[in-house]
Amino acid sequence: MKKRVLAITLSLCLSIGLFSVPGIRVSAGELDGTEMQGTGQESVEGEDQSQDAGQETGQDTSENQDTENRENNVDEGNDGEQVPSGDRVTPVEIQCMDEEGNIYYITDDVSPSVKSVEYRSRAANDYIVNLRVMKNGTVVSDVTEYTEYGTGEAGYLYGLSGTDAAYLGTENGKVKFMISGVVGLVDASKVQIVTRNSVGTVSSYYADGTNIVHKICLNMNSGASSSLKVGPQQSYMTTGTTYYSYDGHYFYTDYSVMLADYKNNTRKQSINPNSPYYNYYQYLPLRSTTTYTGAQLNSKINAKTDSTSKMWNIGSSMVTNQNAYGVNALLMAGLAANESAWGKSSIAQQKNNLFGLNAVDSSPGASANTYTTPDACVRNFAEGWMSKRYFNPNNSLYYGSFFGNKASGINVKYASDPYWGEKAANIAWNLDSDGSDRYKYTIGVKNADGIGHTDLNVRKESSASSASLFTTGSQSSHAFLLLGESNGFYKVQSDPVLNSGRTAVNGNSGEYNFGSMYLYVSKDYVSVVSGNKDYAAPGISNGSGSTGGSGNSGGSGNSGGSGSGTPETIADTLVVRRGATYYFKYTLSNGAADLTYSYGQANDEVLIGDWNGDGIDTLCVRRGNLYYFKNSLSSGAADYVIRYGRDNDEVLAGDWNGDGVDTLCVRRGNIYYIKNSMSGGVADITIPYGRTNDKVLVGDWDGDGIDTLCVRRGNTYYFKNSLTSGVADSTIPYGYASDKILAGDWNGDGKDTLCVRRDNAYHIKNSISSGGADKIVLYGRTNDITYAGTWRK
């Protein structure tokens, strides 16, 4: 497999063109030799996904530039001591983060090489591994590769993002170390080993009276660091005290005691030996949902940046894609802000790439995927990268669906920054300033001690005899979202997409259904570490927001769909048609259909209406001037058939007199012949309106219970509130001239409004006005025919 490493070159200085930054690196993972270039044009429900090639255009101004290596002469004595010398230092720009999730940059012009005698006795206790410098004194300019101790898994990290690691000894010429939860073996030539008392600073945690703050050391000589909130101060901590930990789970007040425990493969001398701490957002599976709507998330993101950011108003898109592909929108926002410097990095600005996707180490700027819009990038990330790859246990990138660290989670293969998961979690914690999402879910962890390596079966049912759909892998600290318990098993939210019977992983689809995709793991191997013990299940956010979108669509443009407008009327929703089969949704949400049945023939023209006044819209198929009406949402013979008009008439349906029953209207040119009963014969009302080549919509635009006409010319709509000729009562522009349009009462207020369809995305307005959509829903496939109606009371 080809290892791919992304360079996150995120400098606020870049945004004003001051200088180029040697990048902080992250990995997009091992893609089995396949380069995934995407523009966000993936398939949806029921379709195989293919990735369109992204552009590789130009040279990104933030492309990694290897810093000039500092050459040090090393004198080696017979006792093994190493004394680096030399004073040349190449300044580097380092990306840092503060406790509020703000990203900033420092110029580090102090040598990271520790100028002191390193180790004289390998049996001595207090030594530190310096990951920024190799044994010969050369400053590292690339990732450091290692093998995980206990699993044999290959790993990598970047010392510029986290300099110090605990030294645990040397085995067969390999240095054994611990950082970010992982115990690794690294070639001794690739790191520097220094004494604890020879360095100025190391990474530590601080209890500030409210929060636990992680101070990440970036240079043991200069004291450069990032400071992250990792959650609330725990009851076993003392305010004002500094603690040490290289896994973030067990804390020590004495560095030597910590090293002794690590070497003895225990945590018994920590201050919390029986209560490992797990940072909530760092270990919450992304197979969860935020309580924030798209508009609310927009507001929170926008408060952290400005309108030049590519993250401006991106919250709505994140909620929409959360509901379609099962990736938590709040956590997506935290990840994107960390990767793109709140939408200000050059890759974000130039390529609409918020997640550093496909920015390979050798040419991050040139190779990074290019997207038509930030929305397209969000979709590609949620569907293609997360749902189909990182959350799929049949993919080599799978280590769990949570941010995690270098021991488990997305961080293992996505990021060479060992504290990438903590950084994304820090931003999510700050975005959730209302506390609405905190501890909403119950989190369980396999091998919560961080020591064991159980490869746990994940089963279809709560029985040891039930089929195992996959195993977790042997990494420790693997997190699950717990939904309940039964027969000695925890019911867990499934990481991968499952087939309809929950009998196998569906690796071909990224679409996710929170309600139907769950599995079971034995309670014997899982510890509850955080969250609401009531087992709150993920729910779909309503996703309301204020973003529009772009693109062209196919599909149907006419809709009946309005009823009497009474307070009891339930909002209109969608049905997609494939041939003669109809897939009905009862809510304006993504996911599987609530009702499916067949009616008529594949080439029938279809009308939607409430034909008997029971408040439910049903189907009518037209063949020539014969109309076959059904009064129930079911297959079978028509309930009645009538003849009306001519074979070549354009036909509309609506409640023209406010009696709660939809009837027919034939259009010839700009003349409309309206019937107020289900019968043939002469029209009850005849009116001219608009022009012969206008496109026409039907709806109750003012909530008076009577459907009237709207003519469309390009992207301009001319609404009439009465069945009369004359000037329009209101005129608005909305969407693009190429958009397909539906009309419906989307919020149940008795008034019909517009929805533009672009591919399988529906941009819904709840008022007769211009501006961004109030809600965006993904449903069905690009080539589906779509109608709107009220399918249940």
Side-chain angles (χ1 to χ4, degrees), residues 253-271:
T253 55
D254 188 293
Y255 198 91
S256 297
V257 172
M258 176 187 69
L259 288 182
D261 258 13
Y262 288 170
K263 289 178 180 180
N264 292 323
N265 207 30
T266 182
R267 306 294 183 264
K268 65 182 181 181
Q269 298 185 84
S270 68
I271 66 169

Side-chain angles (χ1 to χ4, degrees), residues 205-211 233 237-243:
Y205 293 80
Y206 181 75
D208 70 1
T210 302
N211 298 298
Q233 181 174 314
M237 293 179 165
T238 302
T239 298
T241 300
T242 294
Y243 298 96

Side-chain angles (χ1 to χ4, degrees), residues 261-303:
D261 258 13
Y262 288 170
K263 289 178 180 180
N264 292 323
N265 207 30
T266 182
R267 306 294 183 264
K268 65 182 181 181
Q269 298 185 84
S270 68
I271 66 169
N272 58 322
N274 301 313
S275 303
Y277 176 73
Y278 278 82
N279 180 351
Y280 182 73
Y281 284 126
Q282 190 179 353
Y283 286 89
L284 173 65
L286 273 70
R287 289 300 197 195
S288 55
T289 62
T290 180
T291 59
Y292 295 109
T293 66
Q296 290 168 333
L297 196 54
N298 282 344
S299 178
K300 287 183 170 292
I301 293 170
N302 292 354

Side-chain angles (χ1 to χ4, degrees), residues 543-756:
S544 62
S546 56
T547 185
S550 64
N552 297 322
S553 74
S556 166
N558 292 330
S559 166
S562 75
S564 64
T566 63
E568 291 76 24
T569 301
I570 293 177
D572 286 341
T573 55
L574 303 175
V575 59
V576 298
R577 173 188 179 187
R578 297 168 190 166
T581 303
Y582 299 81
Y583 301 82
F584 295 84
K585 280 293 285 183
Y586 291 155
T587 57
L588 283 174
S589 61
N590 314 310
D594 296 297
L595 173 68
T596 303
Y597 70 89
S598 297
Y599 184 57
Q601 301 169 5
N603 61 347
D604 284 333
E605 181 181 341
V606 174
L607 299 169
I608 306 293
D610 180 1
W611 314 119
N612 62 356
D614 66 355
I616 302 295
D617 287 325
T618 51
L619 306 183
C620 168
V621 299
R622 174 193 179 188
R623 297 167 187 166
N625 72 337
L626 288 175
Y627 298 84
Y628 298 80
F629 294 89
K630 284 289 288 184
N631 285 329
S632 61
L633 292 172
S634 60
S635 301
D639 292 301
Y640 53 93
V641 181
I642 67 168
R643 188 183 301 274
Y644 187 56
R646 305 169 184 168
D647 288 356
N648 60 348
D649 284 334
E650 181 181 344
V651 180
L652 309 169
D655 181 4
W656 312 112
N657 61 358
D659 65 356
V661 177
D662 289 322
T663 51
L664 303 180
C665 166
V666 299
R667 175 192 180 190
R668 296 168 187 165
N670 73 333
I671 306 297
Y672 298 84
Y673 300 85
I674 297 170
K675 285 290 289 183
N676 284 328
S677 61
M678 284 295 182
S679 59
V682 178
D684 295 299
I685 302 172
T686 302
I687 60 166
Y689 185 56
R691 303 170 183 169
T692 299
N693 60 348
D694 284 334
K695 297 179 180 178
V696 181
L697 296 169
V698 173
D700 181 359
W701 315 118
D702 60 356
D704 66 356
I706 297 175
D707 286 336
T708 51
L709 305 178
C710 168
V711 299
R712 173 190 180 187
R713 297 166 189 166
N715 75 331
T716 303
Y717 298 83
Y718 301 82
F719 297 88
K720 281 293 286 183
N721 289 328
S722 60
L723 290 173
T724 58
S725 302
V727 178
D729 294 298
S730 59
T731 303
I732 63 163
Y734 188 56
Y736 304 134
S738 58
D739 285 331
K740 297 297 182 181
I741 300 295
L742 299 170
D745 178 5
W746 311 113
N747 62 358
D749 67 354
K751 297 179 181 179
D752 289 319
T753 51
L754 302 181
C755 166
V756 300

Side-chain angles (χ1 to χ4, degrees), residues 415-636:
S416 58
D417 178 349
Y419 300 110
W420 174 90
E422 274 191 20
K423 290 174 180 177
N426 178 44
I427 294 174
W429 181 272
N430 282 286
L431 285 173
D432 184 24
S433 56
D434 301 344
S436 298
D437 280 9
R438 295 174 191 176
Y439 308 110
K440 172 183 173 184
Y441 296 115
T442 306
I443 301 173
V445 171
K446 171 185 73 74
N447 298 133
D449 59 6
I451 298 172
H453 295 287
T454 305
D455 191 6
L456 184 61
N457 286 300
V458 184
R459 301 183 184 278
K460 180 178 185 293
E461 304 296 346
S462 57
S463 168
S465 62
S466 178
S468 174
L469 273 64
F470 61 92
T471 62
T472 58
S474 56
Q475 69 275 5
S476 64
S477 302
H478 185 108
F480 301 95
L481 194 159
L482 305 186
L483 302 175
E485 50 188 285
S486 173
N487 302 321
F489 283 77
Y490 283 122
K491 180 181 180 181
V492 300
Q493 196 70 53
S494 175
D495 281 348
V497 175
L498 303 178
N499 65 8
S500 59
R502 293 194 307 110
T503 59
V505 172
N506 181 2
N508 295 320
S509 174
E511 294 185 16
Y512 194 83
N513 186 302
F514 284 103
S516 64
M517 295 182 183
Y518 59 88
L519 295 166
Y520 293 88
V521 295
S522 173
K523 291 177 63 177
D524 293 340
Y525 299 93
V526 176
S527 302
V528 176
V529 298
S530 185
N532 181 355
K533 302 303 190 295
D534 293 332
Y535 300 109
I540 296 295
S541 167
N542 67 15
S544 62
S546 56
T547 185
S550 64
N552 297 322
S553 74
S556 166
N558 292 330
S559 166
S562 75
S564 64
T566 63
E568 291 76 24
T569 301
I570 293 177
D572 286 341
T573 55
L574 303 175
V575 59
V576 298
R577 173 188 179 187
R578 297 168 190 166
T581 303
Y582 299 81
Y583 301 82
F584 295 84
K585 280 293 285 183
Y586 291 155
T587 57
L588 283 174
S589 61
N590 314 310
D594 296 297
L595 173 68
T596 303
Y597 70 89
S598 297
Y599 184 57
Q601 301 169 5
N603 61 347
D604 284 333
E605 181 181 341
V606 174
L607 299 169
I608 306 293
D610 180 1
W611 314 119
N612 62 356
D614 66 355
I616 302 295
D617 287 325
T618 51
L619 306 183
C620 168
V621 299
R622 174 193 179 188
R623 297 167 187 166
N625 72 337
L626 288 175
Y627 298 84
Y628 298 80
F629 294 89
K630 284 289 288 184
N631 285 329
S632 61
L633 292 172
S634 60
S635 301

Side-chain angles (χ1 to χ4, degrees), residues 274-406:
N274 301 313
S275 303
Y277 176 73
Y278 278 82
N279 180 351
Y280 182 73
Y281 284 126
Q282 190 179 353
Y283 286 89
L284 173 65
L286 273 70
R287 289 300 197 195
S288 55
T289 62
T290 180
T291 59
Y292 295 109
T293 66
Q296 290 168 333
L297 196 54
N298 282 344
S299 178
K300 287 183 170 292
I301 293 170
N302 292 354
K304 297 290 291 185
T305 183
D306 58 47
S307 60
T308 66
S309 166
K310 292 294 185 172
M311 287 189 67
W312 188 258
N313 279 338
I314 201 65
S316 297
S317 176
M318 288 179 169
V319 170
T320 296
N321 284 281
Q322 165 193 273
N323 295 345
Y325 305 116
V327 184
N328 187 300
L330 177 71
L331 299 184
M332 266 198 285
L335 195 162
N338 180 37
E339 291 283 1
S340 69
W342 290 100
K344 294 296 189 72
S345 73
S346 58
I347 290 176
Q349 290 284 310
Q350 297 170 17
K351 296 196 169 189
N352 293 315
N353 189 332
L354 299 178
F355 303 97
L357 298 173
N358 217 36
V360 297
D361 187 50
S362 59
S363 58
S367 299
N369 284 5
T370 297
Y371 295 91
T372 54
T373 63
D375 289 352
C377 179
V378 171
R379 177 182 169 185
N380 182 218
F381 172 80
E383 180 184 18
W385 289 91
M386 293 295 104
S387 194
K388 296 183 74 173
R389 286 175 171 79
Y390 278 85
F391 299 172
N392 180 357
N394 295 327
N395 193 288
S396 63
L397 302 176
Y398 177 74
Y399 289 84
S401 67
F402 49 97
F403 289 151
N405 57 15
K406 276 299 174 182

